Amino acid sequence: MTEHTSPSLVEVSPTATISTLLTDRVARDPRATLVERRTTADGPWERVTAQEFEDDVVAVARGLLARGIEPGDHVAIMSRTRYEWTLLDFAAWAVGAVPVPVYETSSAEQVHWILSDAGVRLAVVETAAHAAEVATVRDRLPGLEDVLVVEDGAVDALRAAGADVPAADVERRRAAQRVDDLATVIYTSGSTGRPKGVELTHRNFVHLALNGRAGLAEILDADGARTLLFLPLAHVFARFIQVVVVASNAVLAHSWDTKNLVADLGSFHPTFLLAVPRVFEKVYNTAEQKTGTGAKRKIFHWAAKVAITWSRALDAPGGPALGLRLQHAVADRLVYSTLHAAMGGRLTYSISGGAPLGERLGHFYRGVGLRILEGYGLTETTAPTAVNLPGLTKIGTVGPAFPGTSLRIDADGELLVKGDHIFRGYRNQPELTAEALQDGWFRTGDLGAFDDDGYLRITGRKKEIIVTAGGKNVAPAVLEDRLRAHPLVSQVVVVGDQRPFIGALVTLDAEMLPGWLATHGLRPMDVETAAHDADVLAALDRAVAHANEAVSRAESIRKVTVLTTDFTEQNGYLTPSLKVKRRLVIDDFADTIDTLYGSKVGADA
């Protein structure tokens, strides 16, 4: 079949909004914990009940009313992931405003584009540095009336400003809202050009949140369910999780800085997480390197093999045999228990999206005891549009259609999506909207295929398909994802359009390099030296050979060039959601690519 549909589990009321998800949560149990927060980076976790969070939302919402915020006004939020972001989001929704997220790493020009295109009236930023960045473009933002700074007391100032505003005024605003009102404008991270403003409605979020709670009840409504949010709330994935937690009975917390993530996991003890594959790759590679050399390293590799074998056996008739069960029990005591402790000790599920996880890691983590539910979605689909389920997980797929979703593969292999979670259009871009939304279907631009049970595999990006000089169509994603799993590798860009064979640009992971060198008995060296080192290049050749096992010979990587410059958000080659700006890399490294096709494997500055 080329089309699969999962029926809705919950129908959405015309009067439902994101705000009613919160008031419903309060009505169920006002004294139950909704949020745990820290007032300092290393302070204790403090309980915030559903009623206390609702009261705080109303207090800040009254402050927005005092500042003259009207229904439909756009309010920007620029911050790291923290309690105040969630509070400001729900306060803005309470008065009918439209919060517009901005990545806290955005440049001044990116800030200007988003605030001007969205028509932002009020901006709330986290730090004085953010405010200074906005100030550099303020003269080109005539509609921006004020900039408030969280670390300078902005939230307390809003609470104080609204002290004389009747709470009933907020309730009237809430009651006037409808399900198809605009809820937010999220700007795509711009891997292929200027960010597009994706307009998402309350229906989009409420439909997904209620159906997500029903479909993932084993995770969201389990006794003691709790999650630590550390991905940027400017991204739709984290924003959706924030909303679905409020709609469920789970507890939400925020990790301000990923440098403190391990410590935060250890003190908060989440039962489920959302993350991107790079996080799982880093956890695995770091755990491997910490074993050092000799017997401990051999034990880790043995335990990893047992975990993968165990996971594969779970899908086979009869399950794991007795001998494998005994090996798994030993590996659990020696290795897996340490990994569990590092992730907080209670983590049993994680939802992964943003890029393919890879079957090796999927089986490893399931074998260790962490079920990673790989899913797929875009900003335009309000995050998840397909996801694996606790009751049936097929590793290597992104699962079946999310409840209330229809998926279709057209004649060109492109994935089309229909459902109440699909965005209403791109802001100020009617032509682009008409191109993307056709007959109720959203054209994702991604290539996919179904298995016999309707489970979806994403095979590539339509616009990224490489056509070699021999006419072979190659999807670079599968090669890039497999090669990037190696601990030495930071980023990969596969090239070869109109070339005689497939090549790749590879950057080295500066954080992982010292440990890798030490465990392989090699002298310390910096990235520039390592890019030319024979042992490092030999290891990369082996990694390329492993990546090539997933494709035909005509699609395989024949040569690589190791760059001494990594692709980062700071130098403009990565988006804030850590996607490589492929076209920019190919343009800026055109000479390097030309050299790759005229010389042997080597490094380039």
Side-chain angles (χ1 to χ4, degrees):
M1 290 182 64
T2 58
E3 185 174 324
H4 289 273
T5 297
S6 292
S8 290
L9 302 175
V10 180
E11 294 302 322
V12 176
S13 164
T15 58
T17 65
I18 298 171
S19 289
T20 64
L21 297 178
L22 175 57
T23 55
D24 288 347
R25 172 76 178 256
V26 175
R28 287 199 301 273
D29 190 347
R31 293 176 295 179
T33 303
L34 171 54
V35 176
E36 289 187 15
R37 60 172 301 202
R38 280 175 158 167
T39 54
T40 60
D42 57 354
W45 295 102
E46 301 173 0
R47 288 181 68 241
V48 179
T49 68
Q51 186 64 63
E52 288 169 339
F53 182 68
E54 158 72 358
D55 292 344
D56 208 4
V57 166
V58 172
V60 175
R62 291 161 69 189
L64 293 174
L65 291 181
R67 296 190 66 89
I69 295 298
E70 297 291 341
D73 280 349
H74 290 199
V75 177
I77 305 173
M78 182 180 186
S79 171
R80 291 175 297 174
T81 296
R82 55 189 293 168
Y83 170 79
E84 288 83 0
W85 184 305
T86 299
L87 175 64
L88 289 162
D89 247 351
F90 277 86
W93 284 321
V95 298
V98 179
V100 178
V102 181
Y103 284 99
E104 55 99 12
T105 54
S106 297
S107 67
E109 283 307 309
Q110 289 170 329
V111 171
H112 172 261
W113 166 248
I114 292 172
L115 269 59
S116 61
D117 187 64
V120 167
R121 183 176 171 188
L122 173 68
V124 185
V125 301
E126 183 181 14
T127 67
H130 294 146
E133 190 166 51
V134 176
T136 64
V137 295
R138 184 76 179 271
D139 61 336
R140 292 187 281 148
L141 295 168
L144 181 62
E145 296 178 2
D146 205 354
V147 178
L148 308 180
V149 182
V150 171
E151 292 190 349
D152 289 345
V155 175
D156 282 338
L158 285 170
R159 293 184 184 111
D164 295 329
V165 176
D169 289 357
V170 175
E171 295 313 311
R172 277 193 289 272
R173 286 283 187 93
R174 278 178 164 172
Q177 295 174 53
R178 290 295 180 267
V179 71
D180 289 316
D181 289 350
L182 183 64
T184 189
V185 183
I186 300 180
Y187 283 78
T188 61
S189 50
S191 62
T192 57
R194 177 170 270 181
K196 303 184 293 288
V198 177
E199 295 188 333
L200 300 174
T201 67
H202 285 270
R203 182 188 296 276
N204 297 151
F205 280 98
V206 173
H207 167 79
L208 275 189
L210 294 180
N211 279 279
R213 182 189 178 195
L216 301 172
E218 186 175 331
I219 300 171
L220 293 165
D221 281 343
D223 288 342
R226 50 203 286 117
T227 191
L228 183 68
L229 203 57
F230 61 90
L231 295 181
L233 272 165
H235 192 278
V236 69
F237 192 14
R239 205 87 171 287
F240 161 71
I241 291 293
Q242 167 188 262
V243 173
V244 77
V245 167
V246 168
S248 71
N249 291 322
V251 175
L252 178 70
H254 306 77
S255 184
W256 295 357
D257 191 335
T258 53
K259 293 177 182 177
N260 301 325
L261 179 58
V262 173
D264 289 346
L265 290 171
S267 60
F268 181 72
H269 311 295
T271 61
F272 69 96
L273 285 178
L274 73 153
V276 293
R278 192 60 174 156
V279 171
F280 299 112
E281 291 167 359
K282 285 278 191 180
V283 169
Y284 178 90
N285 292 335
T286 300
E288 180 186 41
Q289 289 200 3
K290 283 184 177 179
T291 62
T293 59
K296 288 186 177 180
R297 190 173 184 83
K298 289 180 180 178
I299 290 172
F300 179 87
H301 285 160
W302 168 79
K305 184 177 180 180
V306 168
I308 293 169
T309 306
W310 170 272
S311 177
R312 292 187 186 279
L314 292 175
D315 296 330
L322 176 60
L324 181 56
R325 292 202 298 270
L326 292 173
Q327 291 181 56
H328 189 266
V330 173
D332 185 41
R333 289 196 299 271
L334 294 177
V335 176
Y336 309 157
S337 58
T338 303
L339 285 173
H340 275 293
M343 293 184 285
R346 296 182 58 197
L347 190 63
T348 54
Y349 285 100
S350 184
I351 301 170
S352 176
L357 176 66
E359 291 193 29
R360 179 184 65 88
L361 280 180
H363 282 298
F364 169 77
Y365 279 106
R366 183 167 70 164
V368 166
L370 173 60
R371 298 277 297 277
I372 298 179
L373 305 180
E374 193 169 1
Y376 164 81
L378 301 168
T379 306
E380 291 89 342
T381 65
T382 325
T385 202
V387 66
N388 277 281
L389 303 173
L392 178 57
T393 299
K394 289 193 177 185
I395 292 173
T397 78
V398 294
F402 201 84
T405 300
S406 294
L407 303 177
R408 174 188 289 176
I409 306 295
D410 73 2
D412 294 331
E414 183 179 358
L415 174 65
L416 281 63
V417 184
K418 179 187 286 187
D420 282 349
H421 59 309
I422 302 300
F423 76 126
R424 74 178 195 183
Y426 294 112
R427 182 167 178 81
N428 300 325
Q429 298 194 61
E431 297 86 0
L432 193 60
T433 299
E435 181 182 331
L437 296 174
Q438 298 179 5
D439 299 322
W441 292 89
F442 166 54
R443 307 192 69 89
T444 66
D446 287 316
L447 302 173
F450 295 117
D451 71 6
D452 292 340
D453 297 318
Y455 277 58
L456 175 67
R457 290 179 185 270
I458 300 298
T459 57
R461 185 82 182 151
K462 190 173 182 178
K463 291 182 179 179
E464 292 178 357
I465 290 295
I466 293 170
V467 182
T468 66
K472 182 65 177 178
N473 284 11
V474 179
V478 62
L479 290 163
E480 292 169 349
D481 294 330
R482 285 175 69 96
L483 188 49
R484 197 169 49 241
H486 192 279
L488 274 177
V489 176
S490 176
Q491 299 295 338
V492 183
V493 172
V494 166
V495 296
D497 205 44
Q498 300 304 309
R499 302 282 190 168
F501 56 83
I502 295 298
L505 305 181
V506 175
T507 71
L508 299 180
D509 191 322
E511 291 183 9
M512 300 299 293
L513 177 62
W516 186 90
L517 293 170
T519 56
H520 287 78
L522 301 174
R523 62 184 175 85
M525 62 184 82
D526 58 20
V527 167
E528 288 75 12
T529 305
H532 299 84
D533 182 80
D535 291 311
V536 171
L537 294 177
L540 292 177
D541 282 343
R542 292 191 293 272
V544 168
H546 173 69
N548 286 341
E549 292 173 1
V551 298
S552 69
R553 176 168 173 74
E555 299 168 282
S556 63
I557 298 171
R558 307 287 182 84
K559 289 185 179 181
V560 300
T561 289
V562 184
L563 305 178
T564 56
T565 300
D566 200 0
F567 303 147
T568 67
E569 190 180 348
Q570 288 69 35
N571 63 23
Y573 291 115
L574 286 188
T575 70
S577 57
L578 306 183
K579 294 183 178 67
V580 175
K581 297 181 181 179
R582 178 183 300 274
R583 178 46 53 192
L584 181 62
V585 169
I586 290 174
D587 288 346
D588 286 2
F589 290 87
D591 290 344
T592 301
I593 296 170
D594 287 342
T595 301
L596 182 151
Y597 285 96
S599 64
K600 297 180 180 179
V601 174
D604 186 274

